[in-house]
Short mmCIF file of all heavy atoms in Angstrom, two decimals:
data_model
loop_
_atom_site.label_atom_id
_atom_site.label_comp_id
_atom_site.label_asym_id
_atom_site.label_seq_id
_atom_site.Cartn_x
_atom_site.Cartn_y
_atom_site.Cartn_z
N ARG A 24 0.83 -1.21 0.00
CA ARG A 24 0.00 0.00 0.00
C ARG A 24 0.86 1.25 0.00
O ARG A 24 0.56 2.24 -0.69
CB ARG A 24 -0.90 -0.02 1.23
CG ARG A 24 -2.09 0.90 1.13
CD ARG A 24 -3.12 0.32 0.21
NE ARG A 24 -4.23 1.24 0.02
CZ ARG A 24 -5.23 1.02 -0.82
NH1 ARG A 24 -5.26 -0.06 -1.55
NH2 ARG A 24 -6.21 1.90 -0.94
N ALA A 25 1.94 1.22 0.77
CA ALA A 25 2.83 2.38 0.83
C ALA A 25 3.55 2.59 -0.50
O ALA A 25 3.75 3.72 -0.94
CB ALA A 25 3.84 2.19 1.96
N PHE A 26 3.94 1.49 -1.15
CA PHE A 26 4.58 1.59 -2.46
C PHE A 26 3.62 2.23 -3.47
O PHE A 26 4.01 3.10 -4.25
CB PHE A 26 5.00 0.20 -2.94
CG PHE A 26 5.45 0.16 -4.37
CD1 PHE A 26 6.73 0.58 -4.74
CD2 PHE A 26 4.60 -0.30 -5.37
CE1 PHE A 26 7.14 0.54 -6.06
CE2 PHE A 26 4.99 -0.34 -6.69
CZ PHE A 26 6.27 0.08 -7.04
N LEU A 27 2.36 1.79 -3.45
CA LEU A 27 1.35 2.40 -4.33
C LEU A 27 1.30 3.90 -4.11
O LEU A 27 1.28 4.69 -5.07
CB LEU A 27 -0.02 1.78 -4.07
CG LEU A 27 -1.22 2.48 -4.72
CD1 LEU A 27 -1.17 2.31 -6.23
CD2 LEU A 27 -2.53 1.95 -4.16
N GLY A 28 1.28 4.31 -2.85
CA GLY A 28 1.20 5.74 -2.55
C GLY A 28 2.37 6.52 -3.10
O GLY A 28 2.20 7.58 -3.72
N ARG A 29 3.59 6.00 -2.91
CA ARG A 29 4.77 6.72 -3.40
C ARG A 29 4.79 6.77 -4.93
O ARG A 29 5.15 7.79 -5.53
CB ARG A 29 6.04 6.06 -2.86
CG ARG A 29 6.14 6.10 -1.34
CD ARG A 29 7.54 5.77 -0.86
NE ARG A 29 8.03 4.49 -1.30
CZ ARG A 29 7.78 3.31 -0.73
NH1 ARG A 29 6.98 3.27 0.34
NH2 ARG A 29 8.30 2.18 -1.18
N ALA A 30 4.41 5.66 -5.56
CA ALA A 30 4.40 5.61 -7.03
C ALA A 30 3.38 6.59 -7.60
O ALA A 30 3.68 7.34 -8.54
CB ALA A 30 4.12 4.19 -7.50
N VAL A 31 2.17 6.59 -7.05
CA VAL A 31 1.13 7.47 -7.57
C VAL A 31 1.49 8.94 -7.32
O VAL A 31 1.27 9.79 -8.19
CB VAL A 31 -0.23 7.12 -6.95
CG1 VAL A 31 -1.28 8.18 -7.30
CG2 VAL A 31 -0.69 5.75 -7.43
N ARG A 32 2.06 9.25 -6.17
CA ARG A 32 2.47 10.64 -5.91
C ARG A 32 3.51 11.09 -6.93
O ARG A 32 3.45 12.22 -7.43
CB ARG A 32 3.03 10.77 -4.49
CG ARG A 32 1.96 10.83 -3.42
CD ARG A 32 2.50 11.39 -2.12
NE ARG A 32 3.61 10.61 -1.59
CZ ARG A 32 3.47 9.56 -0.79
NH1 ARG A 32 2.24 9.15 -0.44
NH2 ARG A 32 4.51 8.91 -0.34
N HIS A 33 4.46 10.21 -7.24
CA HIS A 33 5.47 10.57 -8.24
C HIS A 33 4.83 10.76 -9.61
O HIS A 33 5.13 11.73 -10.32
CB HIS A 33 6.55 9.49 -8.33
CG HIS A 33 7.45 9.70 -9.51
ND1 HIS A 33 8.47 10.62 -9.54
CD2 HIS A 33 7.44 9.11 -10.74
CE1 HIS A 33 9.06 10.60 -10.72
NE2 HIS A 33 8.46 9.70 -11.47
N LEU A 34 3.95 9.84 -9.98
CA LEU A 34 3.36 9.89 -11.32
C LEU A 34 2.47 11.11 -11.49
O LEU A 34 2.50 11.78 -12.53
CB LEU A 34 2.57 8.61 -11.59
CG LEU A 34 3.44 7.35 -11.73
CD1 LEU A 34 2.58 6.09 -11.71
CD2 LEU A 34 4.28 7.40 -13.01
N ALA A 35 1.67 11.42 -10.47
CA ALA A 35 0.79 12.58 -10.56
C ALA A 35 1.56 13.89 -10.41
O ALA A 35 1.15 14.93 -10.93
CB ALA A 35 -0.30 12.50 -9.50
N GLY A 36 2.70 13.81 -9.70
CA GLY A 36 3.49 15.00 -9.46
C GLY A 36 4.55 15.23 -10.51
O GLY A 36 4.32 15.88 -11.54
N GLU A 37 5.72 14.68 -10.26
CA GLU A 37 6.86 14.92 -11.15
C GLU A 37 6.61 14.47 -12.58
O GLU A 37 7.01 15.13 -13.54
CB GLU A 37 8.09 14.19 -10.60
CG GLU A 37 9.37 14.47 -11.35
CD GLU A 37 10.57 13.78 -10.70
OE1 GLU A 37 10.53 13.56 -9.47
OE2 GLU A 37 11.54 13.47 -11.42
N ALA A 38 5.92 13.34 -12.78
CA ALA A 38 5.69 12.82 -14.12
C ALA A 38 4.50 13.47 -14.82
O ALA A 38 4.34 13.32 -16.03
CB ALA A 38 5.49 11.30 -14.07
N GLY A 39 3.64 14.16 -14.07
CA GLY A 39 2.55 14.90 -14.68
C GLY A 39 1.42 14.07 -15.24
O GLY A 39 0.64 14.54 -16.07
N VAL A 40 1.26 12.83 -14.76
CA VAL A 40 0.19 11.96 -15.26
C VAL A 40 -1.15 12.41 -14.66
O VAL A 40 -1.24 12.72 -13.47
CB VAL A 40 0.45 10.48 -14.89
CG1 VAL A 40 -0.71 9.60 -15.33
CG2 VAL A 40 1.75 10.01 -15.54
N ARG A 41 -2.17 12.42 -15.49
CA ARG A 41 -3.50 12.86 -15.05
C ARG A 41 -4.56 11.77 -15.20
O ARG A 41 -5.74 12.03 -14.94
CB ARG A 41 -3.93 14.12 -15.82
CG ARG A 41 -3.05 15.33 -15.53
CD ARG A 41 -3.17 15.75 -14.07
NE ARG A 41 -2.32 16.87 -13.72
CZ ARG A 41 -1.12 16.76 -13.17
NH1 ARG A 41 -0.61 15.55 -12.94
NH2 ARG A 41 -0.43 17.83 -12.86
N GLN A 42 -4.15 10.56 -15.63
CA GLN A 42 -5.09 9.47 -15.80
C GLN A 42 -4.50 8.19 -15.21
O GLN A 42 -3.33 7.88 -15.46
CB GLN A 42 -5.40 9.26 -17.28
CG GLN A 42 -5.95 10.49 -17.98
CD GLN A 42 -6.45 10.15 -19.38
OE1 GLN A 42 -7.64 10.14 -19.65
NE2 GLN A 42 -5.52 9.87 -20.28
N PHE A 43 -5.31 7.45 -14.46
CA PHE A 43 -4.86 6.23 -13.79
C PHE A 43 -5.86 5.11 -14.03
O PHE A 43 -7.07 5.31 -13.91
CB PHE A 43 -4.70 6.47 -12.29
CG PHE A 43 -3.60 7.44 -11.95
CD1 PHE A 43 -3.80 8.81 -12.03
CD2 PHE A 43 -2.34 6.98 -11.57
CE1 PHE A 43 -2.78 9.71 -11.74
CE2 PHE A 43 -1.31 7.86 -11.27
CZ PHE A 43 -1.54 9.23 -11.36
N LEU A 44 -5.32 3.94 -14.34
CA LEU A 44 -6.12 2.72 -14.50
C LEU A 44 -5.62 1.73 -13.47
O LEU A 44 -4.55 1.15 -13.61
CB LEU A 44 -5.96 2.17 -15.92
CG LEU A 44 -6.74 0.89 -16.27
CD1 LEU A 44 -8.23 1.06 -16.06
CD2 LEU A 44 -6.44 0.47 -17.71
N ASP A 45 -6.40 1.56 -12.39
CA ASP A 45 -6.00 0.75 -11.24
C ASP A 45 -6.74 -0.58 -11.32
O ASP A 45 -7.94 -0.65 -11.04
CB ASP A 45 -6.36 1.52 -9.96
CG ASP A 45 -5.93 0.80 -8.69
OD1 ASP A 45 -5.84 -0.44 -8.71
OD2 ASP A 45 -5.70 1.47 -7.68
N ILE A 46 -6.03 -1.64 -11.69
CA ILE A 46 -6.65 -2.95 -11.86
C ILE A 46 -6.35 -3.84 -10.65
O ILE A 46 -5.21 -3.96 -10.22
CB ILE A 46 -6.15 -3.63 -13.15
CG1 ILE A 46 -6.48 -2.77 -14.36
CG2 ILE A 46 -6.77 -5.02 -13.31
CD1 ILE A 46 -6.00 -3.34 -15.68
N GLY A 47 -7.40 -4.48 -10.14
CA GLY A 47 -7.25 -5.25 -8.91
C GLY A 47 -7.33 -4.33 -7.71
O GLY A 47 -6.55 -4.44 -6.76
N THR A 48 -8.30 -3.44 -7.74
CA THR A 48 -8.43 -2.37 -6.76
C THR A 48 -8.45 -2.89 -5.33
O THR A 48 -7.80 -2.33 -4.45
CB THR A 48 -9.75 -1.61 -7.02
OG1 THR A 48 -9.75 -1.17 -8.36
CG2 THR A 48 -9.92 -0.47 -6.07
N GLY A 49 -9.20 -3.95 -5.10
CA GLY A 49 -9.40 -4.40 -3.73
C GLY A 49 -10.38 -3.49 -3.02
O GLY A 49 -10.93 -2.54 -3.58
N LEU A 50 -10.63 -3.78 -1.76
CA LEU A 50 -11.58 -2.99 -0.98
C LEU A 50 -11.00 -1.64 -0.61
O LEU A 50 -9.81 -1.54 -0.27
CB LEU A 50 -11.98 -3.76 0.28
CG LEU A 50 -12.90 -4.94 -0.01
CD1 LEU A 50 -12.82 -5.98 1.11
CD2 LEU A 50 -14.33 -4.48 -0.20
N PRO A 51 -11.78 -0.58 -0.67
CA PRO A 51 -11.27 0.74 -0.33
C PRO A 51 -10.73 0.80 1.09
O PRO A 51 -11.34 0.26 2.01
CB PRO A 51 -12.51 1.64 -0.48
CG PRO A 51 -13.42 0.89 -1.40
CD PRO A 51 -13.20 -0.56 -1.08
N THR A 52 -9.57 1.42 1.25
CA THR A 52 -8.99 1.64 2.57
C THR A 52 -8.55 3.10 2.63
O THR A 52 -9.08 3.94 1.92
CB THR A 52 -7.79 0.70 2.82
OG1 THR A 52 -6.80 0.93 1.80
CG2 THR A 52 -8.21 -0.76 2.78
N VAL A 53 -7.58 3.40 3.47
CA VAL A 53 -7.06 4.76 3.54
C VAL A 53 -6.13 5.00 2.36
O VAL A 53 -5.38 4.12 1.94
CB VAL A 53 -6.30 4.96 4.87
CG1 VAL A 53 -5.67 6.35 4.92
CG2 VAL A 53 -7.24 4.75 6.05
N ASP A 54 -6.20 6.20 1.79
CA ASP A 54 -5.34 6.60 0.68
C ASP A 54 -5.46 5.65 -0.51
O ASP A 54 -4.52 4.95 -0.89
CB ASP A 54 -3.88 6.71 1.14
CG ASP A 54 -3.55 8.11 1.62
OD1 ASP A 54 -4.44 8.99 1.54
OD2 ASP A 54 -2.42 8.34 2.07
N ASN A 55 -6.63 5.66 -1.12
CA ASN A 55 -6.83 4.96 -2.37
C ASN A 55 -6.18 5.78 -3.49
O ASN A 55 -5.83 6.95 -3.32
CB ASN A 55 -8.32 4.78 -2.63
CG ASN A 55 -9.00 4.03 -1.50
OD1 ASN A 55 -8.82 2.84 -1.33
ND2 ASN A 55 -9.76 4.75 -0.68
N THR A 56 -6.04 5.16 -4.66
CA THR A 56 -5.32 5.81 -5.77
C THR A 56 -5.89 7.19 -6.09
O THR A 56 -5.14 8.15 -6.28
CB THR A 56 -5.37 4.91 -7.01
OG1 THR A 56 -4.71 3.68 -6.72
CG2 THR A 56 -4.69 5.57 -8.20
N HIS A 57 -7.21 7.32 -6.15
CA HIS A 57 -7.78 8.62 -6.54
C HIS A 57 -7.50 9.69 -5.48
O HIS A 57 -7.28 10.86 -5.83
CB HIS A 57 -9.29 8.50 -6.80
CG HIS A 57 -10.13 8.36 -5.58
ND1 HIS A 57 -10.19 7.18 -4.85
CD2 HIS A 57 -10.96 9.24 -4.93
CE1 HIS A 57 -11.02 7.34 -3.83
NE2 HIS A 57 -11.49 8.56 -3.85
N GLN A 58 -7.48 9.30 -4.21
CA GLN A 58 -7.21 10.28 -3.18
C GLN A 58 -5.77 10.78 -3.25
O GLN A 58 -5.51 11.98 -3.11
CB GLN A 58 -7.50 9.67 -1.81
CG GLN A 58 -8.97 9.33 -1.59
CD GLN A 58 -9.20 8.44 -0.38
OE1 GLN A 58 -8.45 7.49 -0.15
NE2 GLN A 58 -10.23 8.73 0.39
N ILE A 59 -4.85 9.86 -3.51
CA ILE A 59 -3.44 10.24 -3.62
C ILE A 59 -3.23 11.12 -4.84
O ILE A 59 -2.62 12.20 -4.76
CB ILE A 59 -2.55 8.98 -3.72
CG1 ILE A 59 -2.75 8.08 -2.51
CG2 ILE A 59 -1.08 9.37 -3.86
CD1 ILE A 59 -2.22 6.67 -2.71
N ALA A 60 -3.75 10.69 -5.99
CA ALA A 60 -3.54 11.43 -7.23
C ALA A 60 -4.22 12.79 -7.19
O ALA A 60 -3.63 13.80 -7.61
CB ALA A 60 -4.06 10.61 -8.41
N GLN A 61 -5.44 12.85 -6.67
CA GLN A 61 -6.18 14.11 -6.71
C GLN A 61 -5.72 15.11 -5.66
O GLN A 61 -6.02 16.30 -5.77
CB GLN A 61 -7.69 13.83 -6.60
CG GLN A 61 -8.23 13.15 -7.85
CD GLN A 61 -9.72 12.86 -7.79
OE1 GLN A 61 -10.33 12.88 -6.71
NE2 GLN A 61 -10.32 12.56 -8.93
N ARG A 62 -4.98 14.65 -4.65
CA ARG A 62 -4.35 15.61 -3.74
C ARG A 62 -3.27 16.38 -4.48
O ARG A 62 -3.03 17.56 -4.20
CB ARG A 62 -3.75 14.89 -2.53
CG ARG A 62 -4.74 14.68 -1.40
CD ARG A 62 -4.05 14.44 -0.07
NE ARG A 62 -3.29 13.21 -0.06
CZ ARG A 62 -3.78 12.03 0.32
NH1 ARG A 62 -5.04 11.93 0.71
NH2 ARG A 62 -3.04 10.95 0.31
N VAL A 63 -2.59 15.70 -5.40
CA VAL A 63 -1.55 16.35 -6.20
C VAL A 63 -2.15 17.10 -7.37
O VAL A 63 -1.76 18.24 -7.67
CB VAL A 63 -0.54 15.30 -6.72
CG1 VAL A 63 0.53 15.95 -7.59
CG2 VAL A 63 0.10 14.54 -5.56
N ALA A 64 -3.11 16.45 -8.05
CA ALA A 64 -3.74 17.02 -9.25
C ALA A 64 -5.25 16.80 -9.15
O ALA A 64 -5.74 15.73 -9.51
CB ALA A 64 -3.18 16.36 -10.51
N PRO A 65 -6.00 17.77 -8.65
CA PRO A 65 -7.44 17.58 -8.45
C PRO A 65 -8.19 17.18 -9.71
O PRO A 65 -9.27 16.59 -9.62
CB PRO A 65 -7.90 18.96 -7.94
CG PRO A 65 -6.68 19.56 -7.32
CD PRO A 65 -5.54 19.08 -8.16
N GLU A 66 -7.64 17.49 -10.89
CA GLU A 66 -8.32 17.15 -12.14
C GLU A 66 -8.05 15.73 -12.61
O GLU A 66 -8.53 15.32 -13.68
CB GLU A 66 -7.89 18.14 -13.23
CG GLU A 66 -6.46 17.98 -13.74
CD GLU A 66 -5.39 18.69 -12.91
OE1 GLU A 66 -5.66 18.95 -11.71
OE2 GLU A 66 -4.32 18.97 -13.46
#
């Protein structure tokens, strides 16, 4: 889960990615992909 967070923060931040396809989501917990990405890039 922590690795996902660091990877998504980098991709939404430094790499400038604005679209994410998260396969094998699992049950929602704290800091899901959209929450991490949209904190960096709300769009």
Side-chain angles (χ1 to χ4, degrees):
R24 199 75 184 175
F26 170 79
L27 169 69
R29 298 194 303 276
V31 170
R32 282 198 301 272
H33 169 79
L34 291 169
E37 186 177 332
V40 177
R41 295 296 178 265
Q42 303 189 109
F43 294 81
L44 180 58
D45 183 333
I46 300 179
T48 305
L50 287 157
T52 59
V53 176
D54 269 356
N55 303 287
T56 298
H57 74 285
Q58 294 166 318
I59 302 164
Q61 291 180 344
R62 274 200 295 269
V63 178
E66 71 275 23

